[in-house]
Amino acid sequence: MSTTTAADILQQTTTFLSKTLSQQDLRRRILSTLLTTLPPTLQPIINQLNLAAETLETAITTTNSSVKSSSLHLSETLLLSLPQNPFSSFLLSLIYTLCHQHTNASITLLNLFQTHPYIARSEVAPQVFEDMFLVNFVPVLEWYNEQRSRIVSSLCLNSGYESDENSVGMDSVVSCKTLLSKMNDNQALELKELERDYEQVLDENCRVFVGYFKEILLGGKDGNGMMDPPCVVLEAVHKGGKCAYDQDGRSMSTGFGSKNGRYNPIWTDKGEKSIEIPIKNTKKLSKFPSFFPERVSPRVLTNERSSSRLLKPSPNNKDSGSEPEDNSRYMSSSESEAELEKQKQPIITESSSFDPLMGDYDNPINEGKHTPPKDFVCPITTHIFSDPVTLETGQTYERKAIQQWLERGNSTCPITRQKLHSTYLPKTNYILKHLIASWKELNPSNSNQENEQLDVPPLTLTSPYDGAVSELRVAITKLCASEVLKEAETAVFTIERFWQDVTEPGLGPEVEIQNMLSQPPVINGFMEILFSSVNTRVLISTVFLLSELGSRNDEVISTLTRVESDVECVIALFQKGLFEAVVLIYLLKPSVPTLVQLEVVDSLLSVVSKNENEFFKMCVKPKTAAVLLLGQIVSGGDDGAIFEVVRRVISGKVIECIISSMESAWTEERITAIRLLLRCIQEDGKCRNIISDKAELAPVLEILVGANDGDRFEIVQFLSELVKLNRRTFNNQILHIIKDEGTFSTMHTLLVYLQTAETEQLPVVAGLLLQLDLLAEPRKMSIYREEAIDTLISCLKNSDSPSAQIAAAETILALQGRFSSSGKPLIRAYLLKNVGLDKSYRSTMRKEQLAATSGEIQEPMEEEKSAEEWERKTAFVLVSHEFGLIFEGLSEGLKSKYAEICSACFVCATWLVHMLTLLPETGVIGAARICLLNRFVSIFKSAKDTEDKALSMLALSSFIHDPDGLRDITSHLKDILKGLREFKKSSKVAFEMLKVISEGSESSAELWNHKELAQQDCGTNGEVLSIICFKDKIFSGHSDGAIKGWSINKEMIQCEQVYDVKDHVNNLLVANSISCFIPQGAGIKIHSWSGTSKLLNPSKYVKCLALVQGRLYTGCQDNSIQEIDLATGTLSSIQSGSRKLLGKSNLVHALKVHDELIYSASSSVEGTALKIWNASNYTLMHSVSLASEVRALVISSYFIYMGCKGGIVEVWCKKKLTRKEILQIGANSRVTCIALDSNEDYLVVGTSDGRIQVISMGSELKDIVVDYGP
């Protein structure tokens, strides 16, 4: 054996793993196979293994490197935490390959050959086994051939003849009877044990060489990665006298036969009874069937369906008198004579040696005759082997049959589906052939049946059926044995006619006929017709008979499903237009993955959309079968399959057809239709409009009582979804139908179901029951209402079941009664509209109007009135129950760690608390306040989402009119004032709350809590002549001509910019692109940030400025007040100037504009006065005398701040014009300027000694760090 290098191993394994990563189908097939091999002890971790596989699939398909890296890491971590198994080992090898850890990937893959060698070499990586392992196993192959030759030689020696290893044709020299006459059971057992030992030796050598390959990859004993190969093991290991098994539980021996086909492996344990039938003169209507028959095109099916319908409308139409006696009456009228002649030719001229002994099927020993062992029968031809050949996969076939399979282009084993490395057939399996010959000699009575006619068991029929039975026997014989397709097709029609006669009530022994036709040879004969015939009428009759038999006998279905290609043939015919085949497909019950993989959804929808009169009468209506199959896909498929079905149902316009299935006489079809429609509603909510308009609910309500819990919940879900229309009046109409129609009381049925439903289902059931109860005016007592609300509250409190909590909260949201056209609750948008943030609501309503069809009649006034009435009624019964117990449940939901639950409970609580202000006195405001007020304050204070803050503000506004509520809110005033000021301009609710709080507060000092935050000495720049807050910046003007720009955030204030304007900067104002200030002389200086400047109003000595929306207000030394339009330069006079005694004038020291009012502070010999002007018409509204000389002025929402000459700031109530507080700034200086930020969070004061002081006006900026730059 040649020495293997690490590079060789890495090349083989990396090539295989890279190929697997690039081919999704190959990857999925291997993973699916590995999943089925897991022992029961690993079943609990299957979900985790599937999660790891899905995560790996994400890493393979994604193009985002970060997602790929995180997915690989997560998948690897998960797999390493689980017990080692073939599934996880294979996934880890793929992960390491993607991470370019090829050595680890190779070692992990080799581990699979060590722990599960059979799976690895047969299912996962057969190519790796061949290229790396098998080349080293030449001694094993030689050992196997030697042992097999020894056994054959012993047979010859026992007969007195010598055998040669090359005498493969010994049967031509020595009589089989002479050679095998003394063969015993032990000799046959020895052949079986040889095969078993061979598999065991292969497994053991795989384990040995895995260790060898690992040592090479890890550097070898000498560290150079080179090692001599180990010795090959040539002895099988037996345990306790029995063959050992590998770790996946699979026997190490391999049978020649198929476990998946119609027949079992060749070697059968002694004494095992065979259930197969010797077949004599069986016809071969076609070659071995392909998986997808291509004989019938959709056009042929369509054309022949039309002509056949004209000839015979239904298989059940048994008016034999109207049919011609000639068998050609069943053929299409479009068939030509040439086609008829062609069909009369034998399809395969050779036939096998046996015939179906139908009586022996149910009784393996019939009158002393033994059926042949199943291992002597070819799984393709269903006949005893004549020339058996054993392929490399271990499966044995008739030479001619497998040759035809390969000639059609197939390159796999028909049974195992493994790829064949060579299409050249091996030599005849003479051992098996001699065993068959020996069996024939020992059972001459059975072997002599080759020349007998088909033996149909006698039936206990009396006249006039005796002649018909004889005709049926002949038809069955032709179906199973005729080599002419035309005769077999005619036999189908004969059997069909006979079946309809005996299945008519009161006529004939149906059971005996059914048993006769249910025998596997007959069923296989019908399948041959499906594979071979091109006549639509024949195909329909065959499907009809198979469906009839399958619906009565499960053994028929078992026979059909035993061979996978039979099921695929039926599905292929269905896809090509043989729609009646849908009934047979339904009876065969193919798996959901099979249905999805073969893409039958479109064909199923075609059947659903057609008129029932277009189909032949079957045991199950084709439409019913199609609906049930669609239901299977929706119930058992993955999310992708469900989405695809629902999408096609919606886009295919077949919803109305499925709606009609809710009126079916078959309960299962009704439930399936409900399930499909429910999925459609959940996928596209607009479907509920069509469903609610077309559906008859009485049949749905009738099955509500008798349905099982799973189906009953889907019915309740369906009904609950139907009452989520965007028109309240329609919802009420549907609720009345649900309540009043049906044989039994719907409300009573729901009440009973409420006692037995699962926890997660309770809220939906309770919600529907409560809505039905609310159709009547709220009464003092209602058992339905009490039970429903109690259920909702208990689910809200059930923190052990988050799914029940979220379902209860969402049910309460839906009870509000307003929905979009897609069925989404509008409660959140509606509440935001009440707050004043109606942008979301207007957007939603605009979409609803656009979505409304031209035929819809909009009655907004009536609908709104109905919606308000329903909302008030629902809110009243919820909050009144047990004195507001609902608020306690919502409070528990708000404590959940799940954001979805908290969000839903928050909206519910906001709605119900808000409704307390609109409902009559309920006496539960106190309960709501105790349970929820602190939570609302917390959300309003800390929520980052503006809408959440607005909703919490709406809830808090409901408490503010209650004395106790106002007191509690006032205790949290510091936490909510900032938010209220933010919403003041956009929300009337915020304005009203501020108004009530202001009127109810006795101490402004306690209310605002002014506190000094920071102080900075800028004396080097002279006096601070002006301060302005613009956006998030602070600008200060100084007497040395400098303008400084400061940035401010929650951590620091820092000087960022310094502008030198070379002039005194008095009363600085800042706009988007300019700054305005009073220079040393007359006029007003306008300075652009680009560096240009100009002088306005040069004839006046201006003392103070105010800038509002492009209008500049000036207070002058001559006591005049003027307004200048900066855009046009227009000047208007508000107050005329004048000179007093001794030439002194009333200087206007401060001027501000706020809320359309102009505030001015001037001084004279008579004293200082505060005047308030109307900004629109310049009329004087108020004038107040002041004790202190005012030098600066700023206005907030509630207070007037006046900086005075004595170094103090007086705080006055803006509404009452009374002084509330005095802030001491400095003892030896005067306040020269004062400013307030836009959010009114802090006050900035500048003094004559060059200091800048920041004062907090509430709870914000308490921990601010001041860092003044140069």
Side-chain angles (χ1 to χ4, degrees):
M1 290 182 286
S2 60
T3 303
T4 304
T5 65
D8 296 334
I9 300 173
L10 291 176
Q11 180 183 2
Q12 296 293 340
T13 56
T14 303
T15 300
F16 164 72
L17 291 171
S18 300
K19 177 182 177 183
T20 305
L21 287 170
S22 63
Q23 297 182 13
Q24 186 181 38
D25 293 340
L26 173 62
R27 188 165 63 251
R28 288 183 175 177
R29 180 186 66 77
I30 294 175
L31 291 175
S32 176
T33 301
L34 292 175
L35 199 61
T36 60
T37 64
L38 295 180
T41 56
L42 294 181
Q43 293 300 314
I45 68 170
I46 284 183
N47 290 338
Q48 295 167 283
L49 292 174
N50 285 330
L51 175 61
E54 293 173 4
T55 307
L56 174 59
E57 197 67 28
T58 300
I60 295 174
T61 56
T62 186
T63 57
N64 188 311
S65 58
S66 61
V67 173
K68 178 178 180 180
S69 176
S70 62
S71 298
L72 289 175
H73 177 72
L74 176 61
S75 184
E76 180 185 7
T77 304
L78 180 58
L79 290 172
L80 292 177
S81 67
L82 301 176
Q84 184 179 3
N85 58 80
F87 192 88
S88 62
S89 297
F90 183 69
L91 286 180
L92 284 171
S93 66
L94 296 179
I95 292 172
Y96 292 142
T97 302
L98 287 174
C99 295
H100 304 292
Q101 302 177 21
H102 297 296
T103 300
N104 289 339
S106 181
I107 291 175
T108 309
L109 182 63
L110 289 174
N111 286 338
L112 194 57
F113 280 91
Q114 186 173 35
T115 59
H116 302 81
Y118 180 84
I119 297 176
R121 59 187 171 85
S122 63
E123 302 288 352
V124 178
Q127 190 64 43
V128 174
F129 171 73
E130 180 179 343
D131 295 339
M132 288 179 58
F133 291 86
L134 198 58
V135 295
N136 297 292
F137 294 174
V138 174
V140 177
L141 301 178
E142 293 174 348
W143 166 80
Y144 172 73
N145 288 329
E146 179 183 349
Q147 296 298 319
R148 186 174 61 177
S149 299
R150 178 184 59 79
I151 296 172
V152 174
S153 298
S154 68
L155 293 176
C156 297
L157 291 174
N158 290 338
S159 303
Y161 293 89
E162 295 183 359
S163 173
D164 188 282
E165 188 173 350
N166 296 323
S167 64
V168 294
M170 75 177 87
D171 59 334
S172 62
V173 179
V174 182
S175 168
C176 293
K177 182 176 182 179
T178 303
L179 181 64
L180 301 176
S181 59
K182 296 183 179 181
M183 187 183 70
N184 54 38
D185 292 337
N186 291 332
Q187 291 170 327
L189 181 61
E190 189 175 4
L191 289 175
K192 179 179 179 180
E193 290 179 347
L194 173 62
E195 296 293 334
R196 184 176 299 163
D197 291 345
Y198 174 62
E199 293 294 333
Q200 188 177 0
V201 169
L202 286 180
D203 289 348
E204 186 62 28
N205 280 286
C206 281
R207 297 185 181 99
V208 171
F209 272 82
V210 166
Y212 166 61
F213 292 145
K214 283 184 179 180
E215 289 194 33
I216 293 176
L217 289 173
L218 297 175
K221 295 180 180 179
D222 55 0
N224 59 7
M226 298 287 291
M227 291 179 58
D228 293 331
C231 296
V232 176
V233 178
L234 294 180
E235 293 184 0
V237 180
H238 291 266
K239 298 179 180 180
K242 296 184 179 180
C243 179
Y245 285 74
D246 60 13
Q247 294 186 17
D248 62 354
R250 186 186 295 269
S251 173
M252 292 183 178
S253 63
T254 302
F256 291 102
S258 167
K259 294 184 180 180
N260 301 320
R262 294 195 180 103
Y263 298 94
N264 291 330
I266 284 177
W267 304 110
T268 309
D269 292 338
K270 185 176 180 180
E272 179 183 349
K273 294 183 179 181
S274 172
I275 62 171
E276 295 304 325
I277 305 163
I279 299 178
K280 170 187 174 185
N281 294 333
T282 302
K283 63 166 183 17
K284 293 186 179 180
L285 293 179
S286 67
K287 301 177 182 179
F288 186 74
S290 64
F291 295 133
F292 300 98
E294 298 293 339
R295 298 178 178 83
V296 185
S297 68
R299 178 174 298 179
V300 171
L301 282 173
T302 303
N303 294 340
E304 294 205 11
R305 177 182 293 276
S306 302
S307 58
S308 298
R309 190 177 295 113
L310 293 174
L311 293 173
K312 189 174 183 180
S314 168
N316 285 348
N317 188 0
K318 62 184 191 64
D319 186 6
S320 58
S322 63
E323 299 178 5
E325 290 297 324
D326 190 2
N327 288 334
S328 63
R329 64 188 181 276
Y330 298 111
M331 305 304 293
S332 169
S333 60
S334 62
E335 292 179 326
S336 63
E337 294 298 327
E339 181 67 21
L340 291 173
E341 291 299 324
K342 181 179 179 180
Q343 291 187 4
K344 291 179 181 180
Q345 299 299 322
I347 297 176
I348 295 180
T349 58
E350 297 186 14
S351 63
S352 298
S353 307
F354 292 90
D355 200 28
L357 297 177
M358 301 175 61
D360 289 345
Y361 180 80
D362 294 324
N363 185 10
I365 302 177
N366 186 23
E367 298 179 359
K369 300 176 183 178
H370 293 268
T371 59
K374 292 171 287 185
D375 302 323
F376 291 177
V377 180
C378 173
I380 295 179
T381 65
T382 68
H383 307 154
I384 292 180
F385 286 115
S386 176
D387 186 5
V389 291
T390 302
L391 302 185
E392 60 194 66
T393 60
Q395 305 299 328
T396 303
Y397 303 97
E398 182 66 37
R399 179 180 296 276
K400 291 182 180 180
I402 192 62
Q403 186 65 49
Q404 292 169 1
W405 166 264
L406 297 174
E407 287 174 355
R408 291 211 305 273
N410 298 297
S411 60
T412 58
C413 174
I415 297 299
T416 66
R417 302 295 189 261
Q418 291 180 344
K419 185 175 180 60
L420 300 175
H421 296 103
S422 174
T423 57
Y424 293 100
L425 296 180
K427 294 180 181 180
T428 301
N429 187 337
Y430 286 101
I431 297 176
L432 178 60
K433 186 172 182 177
H434 294 162
L435 291 173
I436 294 173
S438 176
W439 178 86
K440 288 183 178 180
E441 292 175 358
L442 295 176
N443 297 274
S445 58
N446 280 35
S447 60
N448 290 337
Q449 291 176 11
E450 297 182 20
N451 299 322
E452 295 180 5
Q453 295 296 323
L454 180 69
D455 184 15
V456 179
L459 300 177
T460 56
L461 292 175
T462 58
S463 181
Y465 291 103
D466 292 340
V469 169
S470 299
E471 183 182 359
L472 177 63
R473 291 174 179 171
V474 173
I476 293 177
T477 302
K478 289 182 179 180
L479 175 67
C480 297
S482 177
E483 298 178 355
V484 180
L485 179 61
K486 178 67 176 179
E487 291 183 359
E489 290 177 335
T490 304
V492 170
F493 290 126
T494 303
I495 295 171
E496 176 201 344
R497 184 177 68 252
F498 190 89
W499 175 261
Q500 295 185 48
D501 288 340
V502 295
T503 54
E504 183 173 340
L507 295 179
E510 178 183 346
V511 176
E512 288 92 338
I513 299 297
Q514 174 185 320
N515 290 336
M516 187 196 319
L517 294 176
S518 299
Q519 301 300 325
V522 182
I523 300 303
N524 292 338
F526 284 131
M527 285 307 305
E528 291 287 353
I529 292 293
L530 293 183
F531 275 109
S532 305
S533 180
V534 296
N535 188 305
T536 304
R537 184 62 184 83
V538 173
L539 294 173
I540 292 176
S541 296
T542 305
V543 168
F544 163 75
L545 288 169
L546 287 173
S547 301
E548 289 284 322
L549 295 170
S551 65
R552 290 169 166 80
N553 191 338
D554 292 337
E555 291 298 326
V556 174
I557 301 302
S558 177
T559 302
L560 291 171
T561 55
R562 197 172 299 163
V563 179
E564 184 179 354
S565 59
D566 288 354
V567 179
E568 293 173 342
C569 168
V570 176
I571 293 177
L573 289 172
F574 171 58
Q575 290 175 311
K576 292 180 178 297
L578 190 67
F579 291 139
E580 285 79 3
V582 70
V583 177
L584 185 55
I585 295 173
Y586 166 71
L587 295 173
L588 292 175
K589 295 180 173 56
S591 64
V592 172
T594 299
L595 293 173
V596 174
Q597 182 180 1
L598 297 180
E599 300 179 349
V600 299
V601 173
D602 286 337
S603 300
L604 293 175
L605 294 177
S606 297
V607 174
V608 172
S609 62
K610 289 184 177 294
N611 193 302
E612 292 184 1
N613 295 330
E614 299 183 39
F615 302 113
F616 291 89
K617 187 176 181 181
M618 308 286 286
C619 58
V620 177
K621 292 181 180 179
K623 177 182 176 181
T624 299
V627 170
L628 295 175
L629 287 171
L630 288 172
Q632 290 179 21
I633 297 175
V634 168
S635 299
D638 54 24
D639 292 341
I642 296 174
F643 172 77
E644 191 64 21
V645 170
V646 172
R647 183 186 65 81
R648 294 188 184 183
V649 168
I650 296 172
S651 61
K653 310 298 183 184
V654 296
I655 286 185
E656 293 188 18
C657 300
I658 295 179
I659 292 173
S660 65
S661 291
M662 291 197 302
E663 302 177 41
S664 170
W666 198 359
T667 300
E668 186 178 357
E669 182 180 358
R670 293 192 211 175
I671 294 175
T672 303
I674 292 170
R675 183 177 299 119
L676 287 170
L677 294 174
L678 178 60
R679 298 298 183 274
C680 289
I681 291 175
Q682 292 170 344
E683 182 62 35
D684 184 358
K686 295 181 181 178
C687 294
R688 63 168 49 84
N689 297 293
I690 300 175
I691 298 171
S692 61
D693 183 46
K694 302 292 184 181
E696 288 290 336
L697 296 183
V700 177
L701 298 172
E702 288 176 2
I703 62 175
L704 181 60
V705 177
N708 59 49
D709 287 346
D711 294 337
R712 186 179 299 173
F713 181 64
E714 288 195 321
I715 295 172
V716 173
Q717 269 190 307
F718 175 70
L719 296 174
S720 299
E721 291 294 334
L722 284 187
V723 292
K724 293 182 180 179
L725 302 174
N726 60 344
R727 300 191 66 177
R728 187 66 245 172
T729 53
F730 288 177
N731 288 332
N732 292 343
Q733 292 174 13
I734 295 175
L735 286 171
H736 276 291
I737 293 174
I738 296 173
K739 181 179 180 180
D740 299 334
E741 292 194 8
T743 307
F744 302 95
S745 168
T746 304
M747 294 181 67
H748 181 72
T749 302
L750 292 176
L751 182 62
V752 173
Y753 181 35
L754 203 59
Q755 314 306 316
T756 60
E758 296 181 5
T759 304
E760 295 79 5
Q761 301 172 352
L762 289 174
V764 179
V765 182
L768 182 59
L769 179 60
L770 181 59
Q771 291 182 76
L772 296 177
D773 183 75
L774 288 174
L775 291 176
E777 286 297 323
R779 294 161 290 177
K780 292 183 180 180
M781 172 61 182
S782 169
I783 184 63
Y784 302 112
R785 184 192 317 147
E786 298 295 320
E787 287 293 329
I789 299 178
D790 278 338
T791 300
L792 290 175
I793 295 174
S794 64
C795 288
L796 286 173
K797 293 181 178 181
N798 189 1
S799 58
D800 294 333
S801 177
S803 57
Q805 283 185 297
I806 185 61
E810 290 178 346
T811 299
I812 295 174
L813 291 178
L815 288 173
Q816 191 257 358
R818 288 182 171 86
F819 303 95
S820 66
S821 59
S822 60
K824 302 296 182 183
L826 293 177
I827 181 171
R828 185 180 180 91
Y830 183 75
L831 291 173
L832 289 172
K833 174 190 174 186
N834 291 332
V835 178
L837 304 182
D838 56 351
K839 181 179 180 181
S840 174
Y841 186 79
R842 290 200 308 270
S843 175
T844 302
M845 291 298 100
R846 191 178 301 111
K847 292 178 181 178
E848 293 299 310
Q849 293 174 0
L850 292 175
T853 60
S854 58
E856 291 182 357
I857 302 175
Q858 300 294 331
E859 300 174 354
M861 295 299 295
E862 180 183 352
E863 289 298 328
E864 183 61 26
K865 180 180 178 181
S866 178
E868 289 180 356
E869 181 182 352
W870 176 268
E871 182 181 23
R872 289 173 181 269
K873 187 188 301 184
T874 305
F876 179 79
V877 299
L878 287 174
V879 301
S880 301
H881 179 76
E882 297 292 339
F883 302 103
L885 190 61
I886 188 73
F887 298 116
E888 184 178 333
L890 292 171
S891 177
E892 290 296 322
L894 285 169
K895 298 175 184 177
S896 173
K897 62 181 179 180
Y898 299 100
E900 187 179 6
I901 297 176
C902 290
S903 177
C905 289
F906 169 60
V907 177
C908 291
T910 301
W911 170 57
L912 291 177
V913 170
H914 170 66
M915 290 303 296
L916 292 177
T917 63
L918 306 177
L919 296 173
E921 178 60 36
T922 57
V924 299
I925 186 69
R929 184 184 72 254
I930 294 172
C931 294
L932 300 171
L933 188 139
N934 289 336
R935 187 62 181 173
F936 285 134
V937 170
S938 176
I939 295 174
F940 185 70
K941 175 185 174 182
S942 60
K944 296 181 180 179
D945 185 77
T946 303
E947 291 185 353
D948 285 346
K949 295 186 70 172
L951 291 177
S952 59
M953 180 179 68
L954 178 65
L956 290 172
S957 69
S958 302
F959 298 116
I960 207 164
H961 297 288
D962 176 63
D964 294 333
L966 180 60
R967 183 193 66 245
D968 292 346
I969 290 177
T970 304
S971 65
H972 296 285
L973 201 56
K974 297 177 183 179
D975 298 327
I976 67 175
L977 274 178
K978 179 177 181 293
L980 292 176
R981 291 197 297 269
E982 291 176 355
F983 283 109
K984 178 190 172 186
K985 295 182 180 180
S986 59
S987 173
K988 187 177 180 181
V989 173
F991 181 83
E992 292 296 329
M993 287 185 67
L994 288 170
K995 180 179 178 181
V996 173
I997 292 173
S998 176
E999 292 175 350
S1001 299
E1002 298 295 333
S1003 173
S1004 297
E1006 294 179 0
L1007 181 64
W1008 291 96
N1009 190 25
H1010 296 93
K1011 179 180 179 181
E1012 179 180 338
L1013 293 177
Q1015 188 178 126
Q1016 175 66 28
D1017 187 0
C1018 298
T1020 56
N1021 298 106
E1023 293 186 22
V1024 182
L1025 300 179
S1026 56
I1027 290 281
I1028 186 69
C1029 296
F1030 180 68
K1031 295 184 178 179
D1032 58 345
K1033 304 288 184 181
I1034 296 176
F1035 295 90
S1036 61
H1038 303 267
S1039 59
D1040 66 349
I1043 299 178
K1044 290 187 176 183
W1046 309 82
S1047 63
I1048 184 170
N1049 52 43
K1050 291 188 177 182
E1051 295 183 355
M1052 65 176 59
I1053 295 177
Q1054 184 175 3
C1055 181
E1056 292 185 338
Q1057 297 171 312
V1058 178
Y1059 302 93
D1060 188 3
V1061 295
K1062 297 181 175 55
D1063 205 342
H1064 284 197
V1065 181
N1066 295 295
N1067 214 173
L1068 175 67
L1069 299 176
V1070 179
N1072 290 328
S1073 59
I1074 62 170
S1075 64
C1076 307
F1077 63 91
I1078 303 171
Q1080 186 68 25
I1084 306 164
K1085 204 160 191 178
I1086 308 296
H1087 180 77
S1088 172
W1089 299 127
S1090 62
T1092 61
S1093 62
K1094 62 179 179 179
L1095 189 67
L1096 296 179
N1097 201 10
S1099 61
K1100 291 283 188 178
Y1101 284 89
V1102 179
K1103 188 64 177 175
C1104 53
L1105 296 175
L1107 180 62
V1108 178
Q1109 297 180 350
R1111 295 182 177 274
L1112 187 64
Y1113 296 88
T1114 63
C1116 305
Q1117 292 186 6
D1118 61 355
N1119 202 28
S1120 64
I1121 300 176
Q1122 296 176 324
E1123 177 189 293
I1124 302 174
D1125 190 332
L1126 294 180
T1128 62
T1130 305
L1131 188 145
S1132 302
S1133 179
I1134 299 174
Q1135 175 177 280
S1136 301
S1138 61
R1139 285 188 175 273
K1140 298 296 182 179
L1141 184 64
L1142 301 177
K1144 293 183 179 181
S1145 60
N1146 297 335
L1147 302 180
V1148 180
H1149 289 287
L1151 185 69
K1152 290 293 178 183
V1153 180
H1154 190 272
D1155 288 344
E1156 300 297 325
L1157 297 176
I1158 303 172
Y1159 296 81
S1160 68
S1162 59
S1163 61
S1164 65
V1165 292
E1166 292 87 3
T1168 303
L1170 172 67
K1171 295 183 178 181
I1172 303 176
W1173 311 78
N1174 188 311
S1176 58
N1177 54 22
Y1178 309 146
T1179 58
L1180 182 63
M1181 300 181 65
H1182 300 282
S1183 179
V1184 181
S1185 297
L1186 304 175
S1188 304
E1189 185 175 342
V1190 177
R1191 296 295 181 177
L1193 180 70
V1194 69
I1195 314 296
S1196 73
S1197 300
Y1198 307 98
F1199 300 102
I1200 303 172
Y1201 296 89
M1202 292 179 282
C1204 302
K1205 188 175 182 180
I1208 62 173
V1209 175
E1210 292 189 4
V1211 183
W1212 285 59
C1213 175
K1214 188 175 72 169
K1215 181 178 181 181
K1216 299 180 179 180
L1217 294 179
T1218 57
R1219 189 172 67 184
K1220 293 293 185 179
E1221 189 178 359
I1222 296 178
L1223 305 177
Q1224 185 67 49
I1225 302 302
N1228 300 319
S1229 61
R1230 65 181 186 279
V1231 176
T1232 56
C1233 52
I1234 190 170
L1236 189 67
D1237 74 303
S1238 58
N1239 291 327
E1240 301 181 3
D1241 291 330
Y1242 52 88
L1243 192 69
V1244 185
V1245 181
T1247 62
S1248 58
D1249 58 359
R1251 288 182 296 112
I1252 298 177
Q1253 192 169 354
V1254 181
I1255 299 174
S1256 170
M1257 297 177 60
S1259 61
E1260 299 295 316
L1261 302 179
K1262 290 182 178 179
D1263 301 321
I1264 193 167
V1265 177
V1266 182
D1267 181 14
Y1268 292 96

